Amino acid sequence: MSTTGATADPLAALGSLPGVAESVESVRKAVDRVYGHRVMRRRSNEITSEAALRGARGSAALSGADWALEEVRRRTDFSVDPEARVMGAALRLTAEAGQLLSIWRQAPLRVLARLHLVAAADQSEEVGRPRQAGEAVDEPLIELSLPDAQEVSGRLEGLADLIITGTSAPALVTASVVHGELLALRPFTSHNGLVARAAERIVLIGSGLDPKAVCPAEVGHAELGRAAYLAALDGYLSGTPEGMAAWIAHCGRAVELGVRESTAVCEALQRGAA
């Protein structure tokens, strides 16, 4: 992660980048609108459940399992082939994220390890811990140079320190940095994209921006498409002010599209169509 200068709160410094304040404000207004919907006041649990399902579908799509929503609803066996296992991992992570909110601010590395354990769903020795020197990474859809294990360890510790110390940065900025840093590092031997998007979800919910978990950014990331996702990630990796701002704006747009999805669910419930 790169910032615009030495500061006690480097995440907050990102909030002053050109265009970031506008993205933050646009996201806040969008979230406020869906929370003000009359259906949210009466049936928020249904919206939360639907957002979780759609978010998992979106995250899986970016990791190579682009299934129709009705197929996700219909299937019960998520172990029969590689795509099904990706979908199963995404569903498990979405369910697990809500259980880890209280731990995140005190022990983010513990949460990340737990997310990987849940995603991988096996007991091999490399699961649930950062990768070690010489261990390969199975993340075929993110074709970027891979930091070595020593760099991964140092940057993870730095990220954890920022989270534990706390920041005055807007939730969107913090969530974007957590997401981008995990994609850049790919700290685990597998499922890094799924884990990164689950961590973004945890920040958005735990920060209070989306306490009912009805604004699935994963939906937006999938809708914007893998090419745009990777192009924005290149901006994050550049560490330049323009690149960082572009990545944060991309994540903000993803949240807004997630809001649009849940608003459509609210409208359908209001019409009695769902």
Side-chain angles (χ1 to χ4, degrees):
M1 181 183 65
S2 180
T3 65
T4 54
T7 173
D9 191 350
L11 293 180
L14 296 176
S16 65
L17 293 176
V20 170
E22 290 82 357
S23 294
V24 168
E25 181 65 11
S26 182
V27 166
R28 187 190 63 78
K29 288 180 177 178
V31 173
D32 285 349
R33 283 195 298 271
V34 73
Y35 271 81
H37 198 287
R38 66 175 62 187
V39 171
M40 276 292 296
R41 293 194 290 271
R42 296 181 287 109
R43 304 175 71 174
S44 63
N45 288 342
E46 293 173 69
I47 310 302
T48 297
S49 296
E50 190 64 20
L53 183 69
R54 295 178 185 225
R57 193 216 72 82
S59 190
L62 286 171
S63 287
D66 192 0
W67 291 11
L69 186 61
E70 290 312 311
E71 176 69 4
V72 183
R73 294 189 202 280
R74 183 187 68 82
R75 289 285 286 269
T76 56
D77 187 349
F78 294 98
S79 62
V80 294
D81 57 62
E83 283 197 10
R85 288 192 287 274
V86 168
M87 185 60 70
L91 290 166
R92 290 192 300 274
L93 282 173
T94 301
E96 186 73 12
Q99 309 303 312
L100 298 171
L101 295 172
S102 63
I103 307 171
W104 174 254
R105 283 289 301 275
Q106 287 75 42
L109 297 185
R110 178 180 161 196
V111 168
L112 293 175
R114 174 63 185 170
L115 290 173
H116 186 240
L117 186 65
V118 168
D122 68 46
Q123 299 298 318
S124 46
E125 65 176 17
E126 69 271 14
V127 170
R129 61 155 173 78
R131 56 186 168 85
Q132 298 175 359
E135 291 182 332
V137 174
D138 180 14
E139 200 71 42
L141 299 180
I142 301 178
E143 298 172 355
L144 303 169
S145 59
L146 197 66
D148 64 29
Q150 184 174 0
E151 181 179 352
V152 167
S153 177
R155 287 173 64 175
L156 279 179
E157 290 290 345
L159 183 63
D161 287 344
L162 288 175
I163 293 164
I164 293 167
T165 300
T167 177
S168 62
L172 173 65
V173 171
T174 304
S176 299
V177 168
V178 168
H179 185 172
E181 192 71 354
L182 292 175
L183 289 178
L185 295 178
R186 279 145 292 155
F188 302 108
T189 56
S190 63
H191 300 93
N192 289 287
L194 293 174
V195 168
R197 291 184 288 276
E200 178 187 47
R201 180 182 184 85
I202 287 172
V203 175
L204 292 171
I205 298 168
S207 67
L209 177 66
D210 180 24
K212 294 183 183 293
V214 298
C215 307
E218 306 97 321
V219 168
H221 286 303
E223 186 171 337
L224 291 167
R226 180 170 168 254
Y229 188 63
L230 295 178
L233 179 61
D234 280 342
Y236 179 87
L237 294 172
S238 75
T240 65
E242 297 80 9
M244 296 293 287
W247 170 249
I248 293 167
H250 181 87
C251 291
R253 181 59 180 150
V255 174
E256 291 183 61
L257 290 171
V259 168
R260 187 178 71 177
E261 186 90 352
S262 287
T263 301
V265 173
C266 288
E267 295 294 331
L269 287 171
Q270 187 166 277
R271 295 192 304 269

